[in-house]
Amino acid sequence: MTVQETGTDTGRHLGTDLDRAQFVQQWEQWHDEQERHLTAPHGFLAVTSLRWLDSEPARFPDAPGAWSSTDEGVVVHLDEGEELTVDGTPVHGRHSFGILPERASVSAVTGDAVIEVAKRGGHDIVRRRHPDSKLLADHTRAPAYAPDPRWALPGRYLPFDEPRPVTVGAAVEGLQHVYDAPGQVEFELGGHTHALTAFGGRDPGSLLVLFTDATSGVTTYAANRSVSIAAPDAHGGVVIDFNRAVNLPCAYTDLATCPLPPAENRLPVAVEAGERIPYERLGGEQAANS
């Protein structure tokens, strides 16, 4: 779940054509970067399989070795003639990846493919990523609403006294994720005040909000979208730029374990901004006409 941070300058109430043109240009640059990340040779569209590990060593047709989840973490046993490269070093025989923290991942290279070793929802998994993935080859640029400064909303960060563990569902049935929520973001929309639970973002002090709204399942992906928020200012002020609401990997592939939004993050209003249902899910022609 990696997204670009929303710049604080996007929240200005823009009044001139020059300001609007600059806003659109900045959004287009941001969306281009989103696409470069999504379509990287070993990005999420390159995932070709998802394997759930248990204590019994298992072999898979698209990865060397026999893989298992043990008391010392993920272990792979490589037969003679099999090899993986880990941190630039070839490995043979038995190799332990150690116990991975939740949501952490490490990579091993085999030929042109990368084997992602990760922990999701308390379970060890391996995912193969290959640049020849059909999903990557067939990808069409993610559709999105036209950027509009009206959707860059001022808000206020309301920190909790202590971060609260929040359990949410996942795109995989029966799986759960637990995130620490440092607080909520409050903003006005549709004549009402809304408060969304926020998780920690990628950059220090930044926030990440998972949400759905009245467009979900209609013009935007049904399960979730996310929006990143730059660190609050000294007075707790934030900008929630819904133009930069993005699809999570599960919008493109069933080989993802993405978290679902907390119940309180289901907005009853339509947020007609940000990325829409991917063509891969909706069908290119139908999406283009929606």
Side-chain angles (χ1 to χ4, degrees):
M1 186 173 72
T2 304
V3 290
Q4 301 298 312
E5 292 297 337
T6 300
T8 56
D9 59 341
T10 59
R12 297 171 182 159
H13 293 284
L14 307 179
T16 69
D17 290 340
L18 180 61
D19 287 337
R20 182 175 290 273
Q22 184 181 32
F23 180 91
V24 171
Q25 182 183 43
Q26 290 174 348
W27 180 89
E28 290 174 342
Q29 291 171 346
W30 165 83
H31 204 224
D32 286 344
E33 181 59 27
Q34 287 292 125
E35 283 294 311
R36 282 191 290 271
H37 178 77
L38 183 64
T39 59
H42 295 114
F44 217 94
L45 294 183
V47 173
T48 59
S49 63
L50 166 62
R51 316 288 186 180
W52 299 85
L53 304 181
D54 57 29
S55 59
E56 187 68 25
R59 285 190 163 272
F60 308 118
D62 54 2
W67 298 79
S68 59
S69 177
T70 74
D71 291 341
E72 60 178 290
V74 174
V75 171
V76 61
H77 289 266
L78 298 163
D79 284 348
E80 186 176 353
E82 293 183 319
E83 179 181 282
L84 289 170
T85 300
V86 180
D87 292 331
T89 302
V91 298
H92 306 89
R94 183 184 188 275
H95 179 78
S96 172
F97 290 90
I99 297 175
L100 297 176
E102 183 65 29
R103 291 185 292 280
S105 62
V106 296
S107 297
V109 177
T110 173
D112 292 332
V114 166
I115 307 300
E116 175 195 9
V117 183
K119 186 179 291 291
R120 297 293 183 266
H123 302 275
D124 289 324
I125 64 171
V126 292
R127 279 189 288 220
R128 178 180 182 268
R129 301 179 183 228
H130 196 285
D132 287 345
S133 158
K134 185 177 187 306
L135 186 63
L136 180 57
D138 292 347
H139 175 68
T140 302
R141 183 178 176 86
Y145 283 98
D148 188 332
R150 292 178 300 172
W151 286 106
L153 305 176
R156 187 163 64 105
Y157 174 56
L158 306 173
F160 299 141
D161 292 337
E162 296 287 341
R164 299 176 184 175
V166 176
T167 300
V168 297
V172 175
E173 186 175 357
L175 191 68
Q176 290 185 324
H177 297 282
V178 180
Y179 293 87
D180 284 336
Q184 293 183 317
V185 290
E186 186 179 82
F187 61 98
E188 303 288 330
L189 180 61
H192 297 278
T193 300
H194 304 276
L196 300 177
T197 295
F199 302 125
R202 184 181 60 184
D203 296 332
S206 66
L207 303 168
L208 178 73
V209 168
L210 302 171
F211 74 99
T212 59
D213 63 275
T215 70
S216 301
V218 182
T219 57
T220 64
Y221 185 60
N224 50 26
R225 287 192 291 167
S226 71
V227 62
S228 292
I229 303 170
D233 65 23
H235 304 288
V238 295
V239 173
I240 309 166
D241 189 355
F242 284 109
N243 293 286
R244 301 191 180 198
V246 297
N247 293 319
L248 275 67
C250 57
Y252 300 93
T253 174
D254 294 333
L255 303 177
T257 61
C258 301
L260 302 180
E264 64 271 21
N265 285 16
R266 297 168 186 169
L267 293 170
V269 294
V271 177
E272 296 179 323
E275 291 188 339
R276 301 173 61 153
I277 299 174
Y279 295 111
E280 291 89 336
R281 291 291 191 186
L282 195 57
E285 182 177 351
Q286 183 180 357
N289 295 327
S290 64

